[in-house]
Amino acid sequence: MLDEEGREINYLRISVTDLCNLRCRYCIPEEGILKKCHSDILSVEEIEQIVKVSSKLGVKKVRLTGGEPLVRKGIVELVKKISNIQGINEVALTTNGTLLKKYAKSLKEAGLKRVNISIDTLQEKKYEYITKGGKLQDVLDGIKAAKESGLSPLKFNVVLIKGFNDDEIENFVNLTLENEVDIRFIELMPIGENGDWAQRHFIPNTIVLDKNPDLIPVASKDKSAPAKHYKLPGAKGRVGLINPISSHFCSSCNRIRLTADGKVKPCLHSNEEIDIRSTLRQGGNVLPILTKAIKVKPKQHHMNEEDYTPIAREMVQIGG
Ligand code: SAM
């Protein structure tokens, strides 16, 4: 379906839980987040129903995220159900990778096409620091399992954080020389209570090009992909730059979001949320709600304006 700006909305990102087994400093506030009642969270069947209706509006791709989607009970069953919905061509998942060793094979068998794995550093101690206790080895084991299960091509999300991982940019870029992977650098966005922290630790992605002058721009097949792609000469993999702040991509945004507690978000960076859970639970028709969410999708976000106030909901409750 086209929104008011003429953008074709065909991508639904679903946060399946706001729980996470890591505590990334930029994603989860210091004091944590209030745990929701089980009954506030959409069930597997409710999510399936919303995806079915979305597919009638032209949604073709679904990404499961969180929180950490792999801590959600029934995640494999959910992937299977969504993969079987007519009109859904691709089910993908964004994960911190720590539980992939356990789930990669069954997710692939259930119909999952691809995974994006978040990994902000290649150093054990720094990984433990930024995630407040995570073990890098768990992610590395997860990556191996994902490769062996055929969840490819693998994409890695690296959030650039000033003074934390800007000294590892070349190491990440060099991984693309021998590996058929995408390393995607993401600009740190001010969201929720950590908004100030994010503003202080922001570095524009142009630093990746400054540090790697050999990178050559390559055309992306998917025009609505948020990443601009580059390659090192002779490299097997690609480098992606996702620049929501220094060069936003709102004019080609093709997505809406569904939170774990049943709100549709037309834009990640707007406080506007439309409740879909109560209509669903009262047996009502959710098609008009999804239609409205697409209609009211803002033209663009305002993150790069001086007086911008970060949205209230935390990233862990929306699903990056
Ligand atoms: N737990 C999963 C993971 O770690 O990938 C999925 C949820 S996480 C919120 C999704 C993505 O959002 C991750 O790549 C994470 O690094 C990114 N992210 C979280 N907070 C962010 C922020 N403030 N700015 C940019 N990216 C952020």
Side-chain angles (χ1 to χ4, degrees), residues 70 76 97-107 138 141-142 145:
L70 299 188
V76 176
T98 55
L99 295 171
L100 270 176
K101 186 176 174 186
K102 180 171 173 196
Y103 286 113
K105 189 164 179 277
S106 36
L107 285 168
D138 292 342
D141 292 345

Side-chain angles (χ1 to χ4, degrees), residues 13 20 22 24 26-27 64-69 94-97 116-120 157-159 186-191 198 315-316 318-320:
R13 293 176 70 104
C20 190
L22 297 179
C24 293
Y26 52 85
C27 190
L64 304 177
T65 174
E68 171 47 45
T94 299
T95 171
N96 60 37
N116 289 5
I117 300 174
S118 305
I119 178 166
D120 298 330
N157 288 350
V158 182
V159 176
I186 304 176
E187 287 179 345
L188 182 59
M189 299 178 278
I191 294 183
M315 189 66 144
V316 68
I318 310 170

Side-chain angles (χ1 to χ4, degrees), residues 301-316:
H301 68 64
H302 299 280
M303 259 192 310
N304 31 12
E305 291 173 12
E306 239 170 53
D307 55 351
Y308 175 75
T309 313
I311 53 161
R313 206 184 256 267
E314 303 297 336
M315 189 66 144
V316 68

Side-chain angles (χ1 to χ4, degrees), residues 195-211:
D196 283 352
W197 191 92
Q199 274 159 341
R200 284 198 306 279
H201 290 83
F202 171 78
I203 352 171
N205 258 343
T206 44
I207 190 177
V208 176
L209 302 176
D210 294 343
K211 288 195 178 226

Side-chain angles (χ1 to χ4, degrees), residues 33-64:
I33 57 157
L34 270 184
K35 192 168 186 278
K36 292 232 156 51
C37 290
H38 181 65
S39 61
D40 286 343
I41 301 297
L42 294 175
S43 68
V44 163
E45 290 71 23
E46 286 171 333
I47 297 175
E48 180 191 17
Q49 209 178 328
I50 293 171
V51 178
K52 273 188 183 156
V53 177
S54 309
S55 75
K56 294 195 179 113
L57 287 174
V59 166
K60 295 187 173 60
K61 175 175 173 182
V62 171
R63 176 172 298 279
L64 304 177

Side-chain angles (χ1 to χ4, degrees), residues 57-315:
L57 287 174
V59 166
K60 295 187 173 60
K61 175 175 173 182
V62 171
R63 176 172 298 279
L64 304 177
T65 174
E68 171 47 45
L70 299 188
V71 303
R72 168 76 199 242
K73 217 169 147 224
I75 186 69
V76 176
E77 183 196 352
L78 179 62
V79 167
K80 193 166 186 182
K81 282 183 185 296
I82 297 179
S83 304
N84 285 331
I85 294 175
Q86 212 184 351
I88 300 298
N89 304 335
E90 184 174 329
V91 183
L93 183 133
T94 299
T95 171
N96 60 37
T98 55
L99 295 171
L100 270 176
K101 186 176 174 186
K102 180 171 173 196
Y103 286 113
K105 189 164 179 277
S106 36
L107 285 168
K108 175 71 184 174
E109 285 165 2
L112 189 74
K113 287 272 187 323
R114 291 193 302 101
V115 281
N116 289 5
I117 300 174
S118 305
I119 178 166
D120 298 330
T121 171
L122 300 167
Q123 298 177 26
E124 246 172 68
K125 284 268 172 289
K126 282 168 74 174
Y127 188 81
E128 208 170 315
Y129 168 80
I130 201 73
T131 58
K132 295 196 185 166
K135 300 273 168 271
L136 183 64
Q137 191 56 48
D138 292 342
V139 190
L140 300 179
D141 292 345
I143 294 169
K144 184 165 176 270
K147 258 195 216 157
E148 286 169 0
S149 307
L151 288 168
S152 57
L154 285 180
K155 294 188 180 181
F156 296 97
N157 288 350
V158 182
V159 176
L160 263 188
I161 304 165
K162 195 200 290 179
F164 173 72
N165 58 4
D166 37 349
D167 58 341
E168 291 187 68
I169 293 174
E170 286 100 324
N171 297 345
F172 274 113
V173 168
N174 287 338
L175 288 177
T176 63
L177 282 169
E178 294 301 327
N179 301 286
E180 216 176 298
V181 296
D182 275 13
I183 300 287
R184 296 146 33 107
F185 293 98
I186 304 176
E187 287 179 345
L188 182 59
M189 299 178 278
I191 294 183
E193 285 197 17
N194 292 333
D196 283 352
W197 191 92
Q199 274 159 341
R200 284 198 306 279
H201 290 83
F202 171 78
I203 352 171
N205 258 343
T206 44
I207 190 177
V208 176
L209 302 176
D210 294 343
K211 288 195 178 226
N212 297 275
D214 289 350
L215 282 172
I216 307 157
V218 287
S220 303
K221 275 189 218 131
D222 177 3
K223 293 286 169 247
S224 53
K228 288 184 184 147
H229 291 107
Y230 298 82
K231 260 190 158 191
L232 285 175
K236 292 188 178 154
R238 300 185 301 179
V239 171
L241 300 186
I242 302 183
N243 312 330
I245 299 183
S246 66
S247 162
H248 71 73
F249 37 84
C250 304
S251 63
S252 58
C253 184
N254 61 345
R255 58 197 66 184
I256 53 170
R257 295 163 194 268
L258 174 66
T259 66
D261 58 353
K263 307 279 189 289
V264 187
K265 279 187 73 70
C267 167
L268 171 60
H269 298 290
S270 153
N271 280 316
E272 170 126 39
E273 300 186 344
I274 304 169
D275 180 45
I276 196 166
R277 190 184 67 198
S278 28
T279 305
L280 191 64
R281 290 190 179 168
Q282 286 155 13
N285 183 3
V286 296
L287 192 124
I289 296 175
L290 290 160
T291 307
K292 178 178 171 198
I294 294 174
K295 283 252 177 259
V296 301
K297 189 172 167 63
K299 185 173 177 191
Q300 65 175 83
H301 68 64
H302 299 280
M303 259 192 310
N304 31 12
E305 291 173 12
E306 239 170 53
D307 55 351
Y308 175 75
T309 313
I311 53 161
R313 206 184 256 267
E314 303 297 336
M315 189 66 144

